[in-house]
Amino acid sequence: MITKRTVCAAMMLAATFAFGAAHAQSTEIKFGIGMPEGDSPEYQALSRFKEYVEFKSNGEMTVRLFPGNQLGSEREMIEMVQQGSLEMTFPADGAMAGFYAPMQVWSIPYIFESAPIAWNVMQSDFAKRMKDDILATTGIRALAFSQNGFRSFTNNVRPLVTPQDMAGLKIRTMESPVYMTMVNALGATAVPIAGSEVVMALRQGVVDGQENPPAVVFNGGHGEVQEYFTLNEHTFGLHVIIANNDWFTSLSPSQQQIIKDGAEMMASTENLLKTEGDWKYSRRLVEEMGMTIHVSTPEEKAAFKEIAQPPVMAFIRESVGDQVVDDLIAAVDAAKADLYGN
């Protein structure tokens, strides 16, 4: 006799079988990032990408996460994406510039006066043209740009209220002509040191300070060996969500749309969390690590900009040409008009 319970059980078994079959035939997306698993904006954004893609695809696509440089450095993961052994990764602009030189344009000091201006530009025609050019130049598909954070100075000598306060300081930078030119122009001495060695260099006095967003200063342990943090937001850090193009174009149109939408959601998540982190982690740096924090005023930033921007902009113009620089400046002006009116 067929009972109601029997019918329900059969329906449940059929649903379970269908779910299992879908997963058996699912497309696995390997996604590597440098940040370790945890409460970082990067990992939270990546987790949302995973959840969105798996939910929207009904399990046809699964996302396998490889955090904490399990697959290698950012540069190595970009190479893996380019060659097709990794589907997706999430490099910073500095690493991406090694494959696509015009990426340096985002690092012009004080080009963005606020996060909303940067968000607007990341959605502009300028950004779309750059993503198209990345694909044409490198074969890598750039799906979205996101905010890696505004970089600011820490040091153990004094608060940095004016550019003159930088005089004589030894500041750790990435091994990048852009950052080194900026620091040297401000009267300090740029000392390129690998990221893994920064805390030890600060503790031993090899350098007086460094520059990073508040979340990195807190999570990286810099706040434990630094006294002063000046939120002058000199450089905007960019992340690029990239994919292997052959893999991406092999997907169905609906799957491609899900990946694109997931990348945009991932970017929006990081944008919000990175901006929120400016005050969230600054507060924790004061309360838990005893740092003294100074938030630069627009007038103070303008004084730094006047000195730091011209030599870096000249270097970037020489490196990548005038057009990309002029196009970014035009996109910033358009964003300001869009957000604040004429």
Side-chain angles (χ1 to χ4, degrees):
M1 182 171 115
I2 299 176
T3 66
K4 185 176 180 180
R5 179 176 295 180
T6 303
V7 172
C8 290
M11 291 175 65
M12 290 177 63
L13 283 170
T16 302
F17 176 81
F19 182 82
H23 276 264
Q25 300 169 9
S26 66
T27 297
E28 183 180 80
I29 303 165
K30 299 184 295 296
F31 202 135
I33 66 168
M35 290 295 289
E37 181 176 356
D39 192 37
S40 68
E42 290 89 344
Y43 191 80
Q44 290 187 58
L46 180 58
S47 296
R48 283 179 172 82
F49 174 84
K50 171 182 169 66
E51 292 165 1
Y52 181 87
V53 168
E54 292 180 348
F55 174 73
K56 284 292 188 177
S57 69
N58 283 312
E60 289 182 3
M61 294 188 288
T62 59
V63 182
R64 186 179 177 190
L65 307 182
F66 293 90
N69 287 326
Q70 292 180 38
L71 303 178
S73 66
E74 283 194 336
R75 180 177 179 83
E76 289 168 332
M77 285 189 283
I78 297 171
E79 290 175 343
M80 292 171 69
V81 167
Q82 192 174 41
Q83 295 162 3
S85 57
L86 178 65
E87 283 76 34
M88 297 183 69
T89 189
F90 189 38
D93 47 5
M96 195 68 189
F99 296 78
Y100 181 73
M103 190 63 61
Q104 298 174 80
V105 74
W106 295 87
S107 299
I108 294 174
Y110 300 102
I111 192 72
F112 302 112
E113 296 173 14
S114 70
I117 293 173
W119 300 343
N120 188 298
V121 174
M122 288 190 290
Q123 294 291 333
S124 68
D125 288 340
F126 168 81
K128 183 181 184 303
R129 291 195 302 272
M130 178 168 280
K131 286 186 279 188
D132 290 343
D133 195 45
I134 290 171
L135 179 58
T137 304
T138 69
I140 296 169
R141 181 172 291 270
L143 294 167
F145 295 141
S146 63
Q147 178 179 330
N148 190 15
F150 280 99
R151 303 177 74 91
S152 294
F153 290 115
T154 69
N155 81 99
N156 277 327
V157 180
R158 53 182 170 264
L160 305 177
V161 181
T162 72
Q164 290 70 37
D165 295 325
M166 296 284 294
L169 298 182
K170 292 176 292 183
I171 302 293
R172 177 268 169 179
T173 69
M174 294 181 285
E175 194 169 350
S176 160
V178 170
Y179 288 91
M180 296 173 70
T181 297
M182 176 192 65
V183 167
N184 290 333
L186 289 168
T189 299
V191 182
I193 295 175
S196 59
E197 301 173 8
V198 174
V199 172
M200 183 62 69
L202 292 168
R203 181 176 286 116
Q204 294 178 345
V206 175
V207 288
D208 302 305
Q210 58 88 54
E211 45 89 47
N212 260 306
V216 176
V217 174
F218 182 86
N219 291 317
H222 307 84
E224 297 175 354
V225 292
Q226 293 276 266
E227 184 174 353
Y228 301 105
F229 197 174
T230 301
L231 294 179
N232 63 310
E233 299 181 333
H234 51 261
T235 305
F236 179 80
L238 190 76
H239 268 141
V240 190
I241 303 170
I242 62 173
N244 174 266
N245 190 56
D246 289 340
W247 164 76
F248 181 83
T249 55
S250 74
L251 300 174
S252 70
S254 61
Q255 289 175 326
Q256 290 181 17
Q257 187 64 50
I258 290 170
I259 296 297
K260 289 178 181 178
D261 290 342
E264 290 294 341
M265 179 172 292
M266 181 177 173
S268 296
T269 298
E270 189 184 30
N271 290 346
L272 179 61
L273 292 179
K274 285 285 186 175
T275 302
E276 179 186 47
D278 288 347
W279 57 83
K280 172 184 172 182
Y281 287 103
S282 293
R283 187 179 302 117
R284 294 186 68 180
L285 285 164
V286 172
E287 295 173 353
E288 300 177 32
M289 298 184 182
M291 291 195 79
T292 298
I293 292 184
H294 173 74
V295 180
S296 297
T297 66
E299 294 77 15
E300 289 167 352
K301 288 183 180 181
F304 277 85
K305 176 181 177 178
E306 185 177 359
I307 296 173
Q309 190 179 87
V312 175
M313 189 176 289
F315 171 82
I316 291 177
R317 284 184 182 277
E318 184 177 348
S319 299
V320 303
D322 291 328
Q323 189 65 57
V324 67
V325 175
D326 292 339
D327 286 350
L328 175 58
I329 293 171
V332 170
D333 290 341
K336 291 179 183 178
D338 184 43
L339 291 169
Y340 311 124
N342 295 320

